[in-house]
Amino acid sequence: ILSSDDIVNRVNPDRIKEAVDAMEVPDIDDIDIEEDNKSKNSGDKNSKNEDYKERYRKRLTNIIDSADYKDEYWFKLADITGDNRDELIIKRIYDESNYYVDIYSVVDGKLYLYIYGEYGELFRVFDDNSVLCGREHSNNKNEFEYYKYNKDISRLYMEKAGQYREGDIDYLNKLLEKKVKLTLDDINTELTYDNIDTALGK
């Protein structure tokens, strides 16, 4: 800690000039800023990629190790938000007839559950990165949940849910006309330790 007694040189133009002349300034040609930034950014990117894959691996292996692994599970890695990084989609079948879908992503190094336990019969990811979940009913009152991705908060949010209200079926039918890039059938990798290693690397 400095005290007033430690400040012995008075400020005047001559002393400022002497101090500046004595400073060692590196040659600008010796400083490779672009390469330095590339190195830092590359390291950060690789670290983040490995980080999110390890979180997916942990989630998948936890399912296998859990007591709930009596259900059948499948998974897929796919970029469904347009951020150039894969999300983890898990499909499971319950009671031999009902499919459920979970979607995970890693944001700021943390694993987030975007969608949990939604009915998968109507599952679709559209070209605009929105997501449809739901199931069909015999009375044509199909149940659905429609999600959109908000890149500002890095989350999927529910845009609309419907079944019985006026206009719900028309809304759903229009959604079903949209261009699709992923369906329930595409989530087809059986959940095993070997398949986890194949998908995420050993």
Side-chain angles (χ1 to χ4, degrees), residues 107-134:
V107 180
D108 296 330
K110 297 180 180 179
L111 185 68
Y112 281 89
L113 185 57
Y114 277 175
I115 293 176
Y116 174 71
E118 294 291 4
Y119 291 115
E121 189 175 352
L122 296 176
F123 178 78
R124 289 163 172 78
V125 178
F126 300 110
D127 270 8
D128 62 2
N129 303 318
S130 58
V131 179
L132 175 67
C133 297

Side-chain angles (χ1 to χ4, degrees), residues 9 18 21 24 57-58 77 88 90 93 101 109 115 119 127 131 142 148 153 155 157-158 173 179 184 189 192:
N9 291 328
E18 290 175 5
D21 289 341
E24 293 186 6
R57 181 192 305 277
K58 184 177 180 180
L77 298 174
L88 170 62
I90 299 175
I93 188 170
V101 174
I115 293 176
Y119 291 115
D127 270 8
V131 179
N142 295 337
K148 287 185 175 180
I153 60 173
R155 298 290 188 278
Y157 67 94
M158 186 182 291
N173 287 337
K179 191 172 181 180
L184 189 70
T189 302
T192 66

Side-chain angles (χ1 to χ4, degrees), residues 4-48:
S4 59
D5 294 334
D6 297 316
I7 306 174
V8 296
N9 291 328
R10 294 178 181 274
V11 176
N12 62 57
D14 290 337
R15 291 190 182 278
I16 293 174
K17 184 177 184 307
E18 290 175 5
V20 171
D21 289 341
M23 293 174 60
E24 293 186 6
V25 180
D27 191 331
I28 191 64
D29 293 332
D30 294 333
I31 304 175
D32 196 338
I33 297 175
E34 183 177 356
E35 285 303 317
D36 187 54
N37 286 338
K38 281 183 181 179
S39 176
K40 289 181 180 179
N41 292 337
S42 176
D44 291 344
K45 184 176 181 180
N46 290 338
S47 175
K48 289 180 180 178

Side-chain angles (χ1 to χ4, degrees), residues 68 70-74 91-101 119 135:
D68 294 331
K70 56 189 176 184
D71 297 333
E72 293 183 75
Y73 286 83
W74 299 264
K91 175 177 74 175
R92 67 185 187 275
I93 188 170
Y94 183 74
D95 287 343
E96 299 182 355
S97 58
N98 294 318
Y99 287 96
Y100 296 92
V101 174
Y119 291 115
R135 61 175 175 172

